[in-house]
Amino acid sequence: MKLIEELKARGLVEALTDPEIEKALEQPMTVYCGFDPSARSLQAGNLVSIIVLKRFQQAGHKVIALVGGATGLIGDPSGKSAERNMQTVEQVAANKAGIRENLARILDFDGPNAAVMVDNYDWYKGTSAIEFLRDIAINFRVPQMLAKESVKKRLEAREGALTFTEFSYQILQGNDFLHLYDTYGCQMEVGGADQWGNITAGTDLVRRMRGKTAYGLTFPLLLDSTGKKFGKSEGNALFLNGEMTPVFDWYQYFLRTPDADVIRYLKVFSLRSLDEIAALEAEMKAHPESRIPQKALAEEITRLVHGEEGLRKAQAATEALYAKKTAADVAKAENVPSATVALADCVGKAVFAVAAAAGMFKSNGEARRLAQQGGLSLNDAKVDEKRLFAADDVKDGVAVLRSGKRNYFVLRFA
């Protein structure tokens, strides 16, 4: 199966700028995708972009990961209702290092077809305002810029009005494409559907300035079956960094994937063939209770991001938590969230307050509400908001808290 056909079959094509892309890809091509350094780690939602680049690389194409050190200082208005908080150069530099580490786990940065990572700050940092207006911005037409969907939405919004700084974002991203075309012979940009306006700004600029055809491909924004954005766990982002999101939580998120989503996620993220995924789908229909596709998804995506060692730890922790073992067994499981506290600070206080003080919850109120709803447990016994922590709640030097059915938290005592 040709690459574009494969991407379409996996639900990874929203739009193409040119129907000739499929023919053009019969020869090795250089392709790039941009990543916003707004945090020191990429999130699960960024995995779609990374996987698309990986598929291009595996098909023999050269891939470039562009980290927007310059554009990240401005903030992309695409898909946003308000202007982002500005970051310092130092913050962006630190975030760039974290993103490089994320990408290196999935893309191949060594060998004859090594991926390349670039930072657009390198070619913008010495540009003056006069140079920007005279040499770069002059190539863009305001009517075309106003017609971009991301701009139109913000102009129509009653709050969070578009600033000139954000309006200039598409100029910078369009010029990035031209720079990569001139420097690396890059002919294609890929990105999420919300990047269509920015991508076409680049393809139009290459055509106008160099008289050459450049291509763009967008993929759908990944939503779950309820319409919620993929990669959010209880309102929190899932980060590729194992310190920001423990590998156990990462593994569990995918292990809990609903039947309505799991096959679609396998098509997007798994490197298994479509025939193998079809077999998993047939197995799910025949034996839905086995949750074999969920286990396959969790295993593969954890191995992809955290390696074999990370997968082993997540599986060991899962076995310890769900095999009805002792509190000591649970405490030994790696990657389970925990905190070390003083016993004197816990005895006589409400269990929900102890949990909140240890960092299991964002606030006392959140912990209290969960206890009132019957969703908080101590050593596998449900507790209400009146239950006080006692010295004999400590078993083998630990106490095990649980919210809901699966979210464990270990209290260790100094």
Side-chain angles (χ1 to χ4, degrees):
M1 188 181 294
K2 293 181 179 179
L3 178 58
I4 292 295
E5 293 175 354
E6 175 94 6
L7 293 176
K8 287 180 178 178
R10 291 178 178 272
L12 288 170
V13 175
E14 171 89 0
L16 302 170
T17 58
D18 192 316
E20 293 298 312
I21 285 178
E22 186 171 325
K23 183 177 180 180
L25 286 171
E26 292 177 358
Q27 301 297 322
M29 184 183 289
T30 301
V31 181
Y32 96 95
C33 183
F35 297 91
D36 182 9
S38 56
R40 63 186 179 94
S41 172
L42 296 174
Q43 302 179 17
N46 299 118
L47 267 183
V48 183
S49 302
I50 304 172
I51 286 292
V52 169
L53 280 185
K54 185 174 183 67
R55 292 192 180 282
F56 272 93
Q57 187 177 39
Q58 289 181 325
H61 302 286
K62 185 83 171 180
V63 299
I64 299 174
L66 184 150
V67 177
T71 43
L73 293 171
I74 295 174
D76 183 0
S78 301
K80 303 293 182 293
S81 59
E83 188 171 24
R84 295 184 182 185
N85 294 328
M86 294 290 187
Q87 296 193 91
T88 66
V89 173
E90 292 74 22
Q91 286 173 321
V92 170
N95 294 346
K96 173 187 169 184
I99 290 172
R100 174 66 167 78
E101 189 276 333
N102 294 162
L103 293 172
R105 288 188 241 152
I106 301 171
L107 300 176
D108 186 0
F109 281 88
D110 298 307
N113 191 34
V116 174
M117 190 173 109
V118 297
D119 181 353
N120 60 11
Y121 186 72
D122 291 338
W123 55 87
Y124 285 125
K125 61 185 177 183
T127 303
S128 69
I130 295 298
E131 289 172 323
F132 173 77
L133 293 171
R134 183 193 63 192
D135 300 333
I136 299 174
I138 196 172
N139 299 305
F140 292 81
R141 303 293 177 262
V142 170
Q144 288 179 305
M145 295 175 69
L146 289 172
K148 303 297 184 184
E149 193 64 26
S150 60
V151 172
K152 288 167 64 177
K153 286 183 178 180
R154 286 288 296 280
L155 289 175
E156 295 168 359
R158 293 182 180 180
E159 298 180 2
L162 187 72
T163 66
F164 177 78
T165 301
E166 293 176 290
F167 186 56
S168 68
Y169 187 96
Q170 60 180 289
I171 297 177
L172 295 174
Q173 187 164 332
N175 191 63
D176 286 343
F177 202 156
L178 181 64
H179 177 88
L180 295 178
Y181 177 86
D182 290 341
T183 307
Y184 296 94
C186 183
Q187 294 175 269
M188 179 182 287
E189 180 179 4
V190 299
D194 60 344
Q195 292 298 307
W196 178 257
N198 293 327
I199 290 174
T200 55
T203 58
D204 291 345
L205 185 62
V206 172
R207 184 185 66 251
R208 189 163 58 250
M209 299 296 294
R210 300 294 180 261
K212 300 293 184 180
T213 300
Y215 304 98
L217 178 153
T218 60
F219 36 82
L221 298 180
L222 194 59
L223 305 175
D224 66 20
S225 53
T226 68
K228 294 180 180 178
K229 192 173 182 180
F230 165 81
K232 302 291 183 181
S233 178
E234 298 183 356
N236 299 316
L238 286 174
F239 291 97
L240 275 62
N241 183 308
E243 294 178 358
M244 298 172 72
T245 296
V247 65
F248 172 77
D249 292 345
W250 176 273
Y251 179 81
Q252 285 295 318
Y253 175 86
F254 292 102
L255 197 60
R256 300 173 202 167
T257 303
D259 290 352
D261 296 320
V262 66
I263 299 303
R264 188 159 50 93
Y265 289 178
L266 279 166
K267 288 179 180 178
V268 170
F269 298 113
S270 175
L271 299 179
R272 296 168 185 255
S273 70
L274 291 169
D275 287 341
E276 289 177 294
I277 294 172
L280 287 171
E281 184 174 18
E283 178 69 26
M284 181 180 71
K285 291 177 180 177
H287 304 286
E289 73 286 351
S290 68
R291 298 184 66 78
I292 290 177
Q294 282 86 348
K295 293 173 184 176
L297 174 67
E299 179 179 320
E300 187 160 358
I301 206 165
T302 303
R303 181 186 293 112
L304 180 72
V305 174
H306 295 288
E308 289 289 350
E309 181 64 12
L311 174 61
R312 183 195 66 76
K313 291 179 179 179
Q315 289 175 325
T318 297
E319 180 183 358
L321 292 176
Y322 304 125
K324 298 295 183 182
K325 295 187 177 182
T326 67
D329 291 326
V330 173
K332 291 175 184 176
E334 298 182 69
N335 295 290
V336 179
S338 66
T340 300
V341 296
L343 182 60
D345 293 336
C346 300
V347 173
K349 292 184 178 179
V351 172
F352 77 82
V354 171
M360 184 179 182
F361 299 98
K362 294 179 181 178
S363 67
N364 255 359
E366 180 185 354
R368 183 194 296 271
R369 284 191 296 272
L370 190 67
Q372 290 172 336
Q373 296 163 4
L376 181 63
S377 297
L378 173 62
N379 296 331
D380 264 341
K382 287 187 177 182
V383 298
D384 60 22
E385 74 275 20
K386 297 178 181 179
R387 170 68 153 83
L388 303 181
F389 194 92
D392 59 6
D393 286 322
V394 180
K395 313 292 184 183
D396 299 314
V398 299
V400 178
L401 296 163
R402 175 166 53 85
S403 64
K405 294 182 178 180
R406 302 179 177 88
N407 300 313
Y408 283 83
F409 191 96
V410 176
L411 293 177
R412 305 178 190 278
F413 296 90

